[in-house]
Amino acid sequence: FITSWTDPKLNSPMYFFLGHLSLLDVCFITTTIPQMLIHLVVRDHIVSFVCCMTQMYFVFCVGVAECILLAFMAYDRYVAICYPLNYVPIISQKVCVRLVGTAWFFGLINGIFLEYISFREPFRRDNHIESFFCEAPIVIGLSCGDPQFSLWAIFADAIVVILSPMVLTVTSYVHILATILSKASSSGRGKTFSTCASHLTAVTLFYGSGFFMYMRPSSSYSLNRDKVVSIFYALVIPVVNPIIYSFRNKEIKNAMRKAMERDPGISHGGPFIFMTLG
């Protein structure tokens, strides 16, 4: 995230989008993980109603913004590969700012709508959430009224914020594939596929988990299975995304190496702390 915005060699639309994707991943983890860590330490696993609403809003906001941003990143690759001579005027800095602003704007607005749908009905006094954070289908199931309307409203909203960007992404990569197969040489194809592989991996993981969680019949909800999916898209994907993009990109690895050389604290245990899971 910091590397993509501070290194002059990474001053391109692709890394501009990647920097905002990293920021969204940081926001996602910051929204869900602290509360989970607190509950691992304390015995009293209580979340106030206001905290639950706030957490759900930011999860909705960041999740929707990331869905849209991933689609814009696919469009960026489409223009770069299919129209390389017109790439600079089409994907200008002003266009990049507008696309990222659109993703954040729809995330903020859509979060308000989903928040209203989730908390429109009164709730029972004794509420127990079988998840490590306030997940919309689980919270809606605790309401006193009929949850079917709220679940169907979330399903309809998911068609717009998940399925529509997914269609744009698939369409972009269909055109990319057609262009690669028709014009590029064998060596050029390998380089282009390598460039797109990181984004395709991130898209598959994020859209797949979101599609499974919010675009299926309410009768198929299972607490144990849904908790695994929630952990996957709220914790695993934000952690894996930087690894996917960093380890497969030589420019980012070189920029990180130069940053470590400029700041000895990074490589000698200064103000930065690296943690190993497992």
Side-chain angles (χ1 to χ4, degrees), residues 113-154:
F113 169 74
L114 293 174
E115 189 87 342
Y116 168 75
I117 291 298
S118 301
F119 291 93
R120 56 187 294 271
E121 298 285 351
F123 288 84
R124 299 189 294 268
R125 181 176 296 275
D126 296 327
N127 297 319
H128 181 70
I129 299 175
E130 283 287 346
S131 184
F132 73 99
F133 72 99
C134 292
E135 185 70 74
I138 299 175
V139 172
I140 291 173
L142 299 175
S143 61
C144 297
D146 185 7
Q148 292 303 316
F149 175 80
S150 297
L151 292 175
W152 276 108
I154 289 181

Side-chain angles (χ1 to χ4, degrees), residues 67-136:
C67 280
I68 298 174
L69 183 61
L70 286 172
F72 289 155
M73 292 175 69
Y75 175 73
D76 169 69
R77 292 298 84 207
Y78 159 71
V79 176
I81 295 171
C82 299
Y83 301 98
L85 299 179
N86 297 323
Y87 177 71
V88 174
I90 294 177
I91 309 294
S92 62
Q93 183 177 6
K94 184 180 293 185
V95 171
C96 291
V97 172
R98 288 177 178 176
L99 291 177
V100 171
T102 299
W104 281 101
F105 175 77
F106 275 100
L108 293 170
I109 297 301
N110 198 257
I112 296 174
F113 169 74
L114 293 174
E115 189 87 342
Y116 168 75
I117 291 298
S118 301
F119 291 93
R120 56 187 294 271
E121 298 285 351
F123 288 84
R124 299 189 294 268
R125 181 176 296 275
D126 296 327
N127 297 319
H128 181 70
I129 299 175
E130 283 287 346
S131 184
F132 73 99
F133 72 99
C134 292
E135 185 70 74

Side-chain angles (χ1 to χ4, degrees), residues 124 127-142 151 212-213 216-233:
R124 299 189 294 268
N127 297 319
H128 181 70
I129 299 175
E130 283 287 346
S131 184
F132 73 99
F133 72 99
C134 292
E135 185 70 74
I138 299 175
V139 172
I140 291 173
L142 299 175
L151 292 175
F212 179 85
M213 194 68 193
R216 56 194 173 95
S218 58
S219 58
S220 64
Y221 284 113
S222 171
L223 288 177
N224 293 329
R225 184 175 55 194
D226 291 351
K227 282 190 289 186
V228 175
V229 178
S230 299
I231 292 174
F232 187 76
Y233 78 78

